[in-house]
Amino acid sequence: MGCKVFIMQCFVGFWDYETPKIMVVKNMTLGIIYRIVQLLIVTYFTWYVFISQKAYQESETGPESFIYTKMEGAAISGDTVQDTVEYSRPPEGGDVISAILRKEVTPNQKQGVCAEHFAVPKANCTKDSDCIPGRTDMSGNGQRTGRCVQYYNFTFKTCEIKSWCPIEEFAAIRELELKEAINFTVLIKNTIHFPKFRVAKSNVMRKRSKYYLQSCHYNEVTDIYCPNFKLGYIAEQAGEKFSELCKTGGVIGVFINWNCNLDLDPSECKPKYSFRRLDLRKNHASSGYNYRFAKYYSENGTEVRTMIKAFGMRIDVIVHGQAGKFSIIPTIINMVTALTSVGIVSFLCDWILLTFIDKDEVYSEKKFDEICKHSSHTPDMDITMNAEAEPTPLRKLPDPLF
Ligand SMILES: *[C@@H]1O[C@H](CO)[C@@H](O)[C@H](O)[C@H]1NC(C)=O
């Protein structure tokens, strides 16, 4: 008999069957909380997760993208014609292209010796010993020769340097702003490809005649597939004054966003453009955009250059994209998540019920039941915990080793 009881008691917990019991609580407050939280969760899943976030779709972001840019337009500035070759850089247009709007030109620079600019540290001098030969100042224009010379046609003296002479700060000529550039256009062709869905799209309509692209201008409503933007339009959309850009230069981002719902008609997958200035604002010391380049020529066998500091409007094209298409797996996963979440409400209500409402422990008594059926003929087999009859049933067990 002892052995049998021992084995049965070893598996006391194991042989118990637990089953949830439905308990209907007639409590208005709890009922209202239950329904409201349930409604919130259902609304969240249907409206936000399924309708807004399209959780039933398989999605792909970051499409493969190809960008080609080209500037168009010409104007007379002073007495030189400014055509695309003159003002547009770099010559092959990728996702970055810039138009020169203003130049500071330093003509006829040759390798030689001349006076350093007076604003360079320790460049002012009165005698040769003030200038250390071989010294090169990082903010200066060249290497010092050790002589103190007259500053061009002024009366004061600065250290002499070996450099491209005359120096830019002294000789640069400010040219007029290219105001006409406000009507120049930039063509931004963009083709994207979503490899997962094998969908390719372009921001240029194919069917139109080939002259269409040469004369059209982008319009959000009528000409959405004409990616010809006036520089003035881009500046305006980015909230910048074109005349301000002409003075300091600036970088403007053209963002193309492709948001494609492939469950709809393919024509619904349209490019959306937005514009924003990317460099620091006007009042910042280092704002604007400029760079230097030179044109070289030969004069009696000596190399001579025209150095140009160009202030321009740089356009950076940045492409974003995402595509989504119905797929059974995300649909099932999100459905299951939704249903599970609705079930969580009962845990919340149980907690409220047992913590706040159940003051006299009526509910908890009902909620946690232990049921045992006493067998009349074999009282030894009754293994349920009856505290009064068997206060410490486990202590009566023999040691398993003996
Ligand atoms: C740009 O074009 C508009 C109309 O096409 C014209 O009125 C304006 O004068 C032009 N701006 C410049 C600076 O040429």
Side-chain angles (χ1 to χ4, degrees):
M1 175 212 117
C3 191
K4 208 173 175 185
V5 172
F6 163 64
I7 289 169
M8 294 306 282
Q9 288 191 342
C10 267
F11 294 99
V12 152
F14 186 76
W15 297 119
D16 284 349
Y17 174 68
E18 287 166 18
T19 177
K21 190 173 75 164
I22 305 295
M23 184 161 98
V24 179
V25 178
K26 300 271 181 203
N27 182 307
M28 191 71 165
T29 325
L30 196 63
I32 290 171
I33 293 173
Y34 180 63
R35 290 299 170 199
I36 287 179
V37 177
Q38 222 174 25
L39 188 75
L40 283 179
I41 291 180
V42 169
T43 319
Y44 168 77
F45 272 95
T46 44
W47 183 77
Y48 181 76
V49 176
F50 278 92
I51 296 174
S52 169
Q53 294 293 305
K54 300 198 175 61
Y56 57 89
Q57 285 185 336
E58 195 176 21
S59 71
E60 183 174 21
T61 53
E64 293 161 0
S65 162
F66 160 77
I67 300 163
Y68 166 79
T69 47
K70 192 165 82 173
M71 294 256 183
E72 212 72 72
I76 304 268
S77 146
D79 32 67
T80 54
V81 174
Q82 295 289 326
D83 60 3
T84 48
V85 179
E86 291 295 311
Y87 67 77
S88 164
R89 306 277 143 142
E92 86 286 15
D95 54 359
V96 173
I97 195 164
S98 69
I100 300 171
L101 302 178
R102 185 168 73 80
K103 289 176 187 170
E104 286 176 7
V105 181
T106 313
N108 299 321
Q109 276 191 326
K110 290 175 198 144
Q111 295 251 20
V113 290
C114 51
E116 174 65 291
H117 191 250
F118 53 82
V120 173
K122 295 195 183 133
N124 289 298
C125 62
T126 47
K127 50 190 186 302
D128 286 354
S129 58
D130 292 341
C131 302
I132 305 154
R135 182 191 155 105
T136 310
D137 200 296
M138 282 307 140
S139 58
N141 295 289
Q143 196 185 44
R144 298 201 178 157
T145 58
R147 295 205 302 148
C148 186
V149 294
Q150 193 188 345
Y151 185 75
Y152 302 94
N153 41 7
F154 289 83
T155 51
F156 60 94
K157 287 178 156 189
T158 60
C159 291
E160 190 185 59
I161 49 165
K162 197 171 179 312
S163 174
W164 284 91
C165 293
I167 58 164
E168 184 190 20
E169 287 91 336
F170 167 71
I173 301 160
R174 284 176 77 110
E175 285 193 352
L176 283 177
E177 292 157 12
L178 189 62
K179 288 214 167 68
E180 292 81 359
I182 197 167
N183 283 338
F184 290 177
T185 59
V186 56
L187 169 69
I188 304 174
K189 280 192 188 177
N190 176 219
T191 310
I192 53 151
H193 179 222
F194 290 104
K196 198 183 202 175
F197 302 117
R198 296 162 191 243
V199 171
K201 294 290 284 182
S202 166
N203 68 343
V204 183
M205 190 78 92
R206 269 188 223 140
K207 279 173 263 168
R208 308 276 187 112
S209 85
K210 73 175 189 193
Y211 302 107
Y212 169 70
L213 255 196
Q214 286 163 15
S215 55
C216 70
H217 288 117
Y218 175 76
N219 182 300
E220 221 171 315
V221 182
T222 55
D223 290 284
I224 160 161
Y225 286 105
C226 168
N228 255 331
F229 300 89
K230 280 191 181 181
L231 298 190
Y233 175 84
I234 292 179
E236 184 197 309
Q237 292 292 310
E240 297 293 323
K241 276 209 186 82
F242 194 78
S243 54
E244 196 69 43
L245 288 176
C246 284
K247 286 196 190 85
T248 61
V251 184
I252 293 189
V254 174
F255 299 86
I256 309 180
N257 192 17
W258 296 85
N259 197 348
C260 297
N261 184 349
L262 300 177
D263 293 331
L264 304 176
D265 192 74
S267 65
E268 293 294 315
C269 178
K270 290 176 193 161
K272 239 182 133 229
Y273 300 89
S274 55
F275 308 84
R276 187 159 52 81
R277 184 157 180 182
L278 297 177
D279 65 319
L280 297 162
R281 289 287 161 154
K282 327 181 225 311
N283 39 19
H284 197 275
S286 64
S287 77
Y289 174 70
N290 64 67
Y291 59 93
R292 288 180 175 84
F293 65 97
K295 295 174 182 172
Y296 295 87
Y297 55 98
S298 173
E299 202 177 75
N300 304 328
T302 326
E303 190 181 39
V304 187
R305 77 178 189 189
T306 301
M307 212 259 281
I308 297 161
K309 182 178 185 185
F311 294 80
M313 174 171 165
R314 192 174 102 168
I315 292 167
D316 286 21
V317 186
I318 297 157
V319 178
H320 296 298
Q322 73 211 46
K325 197 174 191 173
F326 172 78
S327 170
I328 194 72
I329 291 168
T331 308
I332 291 175
I333 291 174
N334 285 294
M335 286 284 234
V336 170
T337 314
L339 294 176
T340 314
S341 306
V342 171
I344 284 175
V345 184
S346 23
F347 282 100
L348 176 78
C349 289
D350 277 357
W351 178 71
I352 294 175
L353 176 74
L354 297 176
T355 321
F356 298 109
I357 300 174
D358 192 19
K359 289 284 178 242
D360 43 9
E361 302 199 340
V362 177
Y363 294 123
S364 49
E365 227 161 74
K366 292 258 183 221
K367 196 161 165 56
F368 303 106
D369 273 353
E370 274 181 1
I371 298 175
C372 45
K373 239 175 151 188
H374 290 259
S375 325
S376 48
H377 57 285
T378 50
D380 282 338
M381 292 293 286
D382 177 12
I383 54 163
T384 53
M385 302 303 162
N386 189 323
E388 267 137 39
E390 288 182 24
T392 49
L394 288 172
R395 215 189 287 159
K396 284 163 73 184
L397 292 177
D399 193 309
L401 285 174
F402 295 102

